Amino acid sequence: MRLVIFTEPQQGASHDDLLRVAKAAEDGGFDGFFRSDHYLRMGDGDGLPGPSDAWITLAALAVQTSRIRLGTLVSSATFRLPGPLAIAVAQVDAMSGGRIELGLGGGWFEAEHQAYGIPFPAVGERFDRLEEQLEIITGLWKTPAGSTFDFDGKHYQVSDSPALPKPAQSPLPVIVGGHGKKRTPDLAARFAAEFNAPFSKIEDLPAQFERVRAASAAIGRAEPPAFSAAAVLCVGRDDAEVRRRAAAIGREVEEMRENGGVVGTPAEVIETIQRYAGAGASRLFTQVLDLSDIDHVELVSSEVLPHL
């Protein structure tokens, strides 16, 4: 099992905050540092200093780190046009020396679209746009150098594109995730290197992973995508420290545990992570909500990672 630190900067974080956590994750042996792609805080609070752009953040971290993998969980197809997104991700991948992963989803948080003037179509159209973006982005990257790429879709048209630049990785990993029972597994089977089931109860994971396996088999894909999950992280040396960390993020220990959270003492969370592995996940995105608590990351590095 590989662990990734997953952050939610829209809740309130400067770039210095993110860099500090990313460096702690890299120094501590985590597999990756990922961030959400949102423009509005969820819940109470002011979210200061305000939202940051995911791909600008990752471009900076690409040259401020050296080993750790970097990416989004997930970018929204409503935020960017597919061609410019393909260019940006390929450029950041080159800047990182081939350490970038693109998580791409349809978008769901209507309020952030309203707050920043971003069109928010109905759910069916959002999935249609996501599908076309995945086709275009992966198609641009796969087009041989010297050839051109064309695409004639309902929402996007591409004509005589030189399909440049190319990512450093070939192929650059694409992550598709969600809880949908039909279109999401189908898109993962067609386009994804990894399928992520976010914030699910552990006992629900095998069924969702099986849907992706079935969708992969239906199109003749020999090996399905890798499987991963995402869960809130709240680890303490003892119960008192666990509850202190839970209070700091406005959550209840029991509620987090009931919903698949990686919560408890190091021994308890090792057991929880092993349950994720038993359900079929090979990577776990651990959501860190208090970015000022570097000791939290270091505790997992020293007391949990060596046992995985």
Side-chain angles (χ1 to χ4, degrees):
M1 175 68 78
R2 296 170 293 145
L3 292 194
V4 172
I5 292 292
F6 170 51
T7 61
E8 303 271 9
Q10 77 278 354
Q11 300 302 100
S14 68
H15 183 71
D16 286 345
D17 295 328
L18 295 174
L19 176 60
R20 190 163 47 248
V21 176
K23 284 189 172 293
E26 180 165 77
D27 293 344
F30 282 85
D31 181 64
F33 175 89
F34 278 57
R35 60 158 290 166
S36 61
D37 193 356
H38 285 297
Y39 291 131
L40 195 67
R41 180 184 172 94
M42 301 163 197
D44 297 332
D46 53 27
L48 293 175
S52 54
D53 184 89
W55 288 100
I56 291 177
T57 294
L58 294 172
L61 293 177
V63 298
Q64 291 173 312
T65 60
S66 60
R67 178 197 61 81
I68 203 164
R69 297 196 65 80
L70 304 165
T72 51
L73 198 71
V74 293
S75 289
S76 172
T78 57
F79 289 173
R80 301 169 183 87
L81 297 173
L85 179 58
I87 291 170
V89 176
Q91 181 180 6
V92 178
D93 192 48
M95 294 164 66
S96 74
R99 295 182 286 121
I100 294 298
E101 303 181 32
L102 169 62
L104 191 62
W108 62 271
F109 189 24
E110 185 174 6
E112 68 185 338
H113 293 73
Q114 296 173 342
Y116 287 97
I118 304 167
F120 187 72
V123 62
E125 181 178 331
R126 296 202 305 275
F127 265 97
D128 292 343
R129 288 180 176 273
L130 171 61
E131 181 175 3
E132 290 191 15
Q133 289 212 6
L134 287 165
E135 290 195 52
I136 292 168
I137 292 167
T138 58
L140 288 168
W141 290 341
K142 290 189 295 187
T143 299
S147 299
T148 58
F149 175 78
D150 297 274
F151 179 83
D152 186 18
K154 180 179 179 180
H155 301 286
Y156 306 103
Q157 294 78 42
V158 179
S159 177
D160 200 29
S161 173
L164 296 172
K166 304 300 185 193
Q169 300 172 89
S170 183
L172 186 148
V174 171
I175 302 171
V176 171
H179 301 106
K181 294 184 178 181
K182 176 58 180 174
R183 294 195 70 177
T184 298
D186 288 348
L187 291 177
R190 290 174 59 194
F191 299 107
E194 179 172 319
F195 172 78
N196 182 267
F199 306 106
S200 303
K201 293 184 178 181
I202 299 173
E203 56 268 27
D204 294 336
L205 294 176
Q208 187 68 340
F209 294 161
E210 183 55 36
R211 293 184 187 103
V212 178
R213 287 193 190 92
S216 299
I219 61 171
R221 180 170 174 170
E223 291 291 334
F227 297 125
S228 64
V232 66
L233 184 72
C234 185
V235 187
R237 293 170 181 83
D238 53 34
D239 288 345
E241 189 168 74
V242 172
R243 295 189 180 279
R244 176 179 65 77
R245 287 203 161 105
I249 60 173
R251 301 286 291 273
E252 295 290 336
V253 171
E254 290 73 18
E255 171 267 321
M256 288 189 287
R257 282 190 173 126
E258 288 174 3
N259 291 289
V262 181
V263 179
T265 63
E268 289 172 326
V269 302
I270 290 167
E271 181 179 346
T272 299
I273 293 168
Q274 290 170 342
R275 290 179 59 210
Y276 272 101
S282 60
R283 190 159 66 156
L284 183 60
F285 291 74
T286 54
Q287 183 193 48
V288 173
L289 294 173
D290 184 357
L291 299 182
S292 68
D293 189 358
I294 298 299
D295 179 65
H296 191 196
V297 176
E298 292 174 344
L299 175 62
V300 177
S301 297
S302 62
E303 301 296 330
V304 175
L305 286 181
H307 301 283
L308 300 182

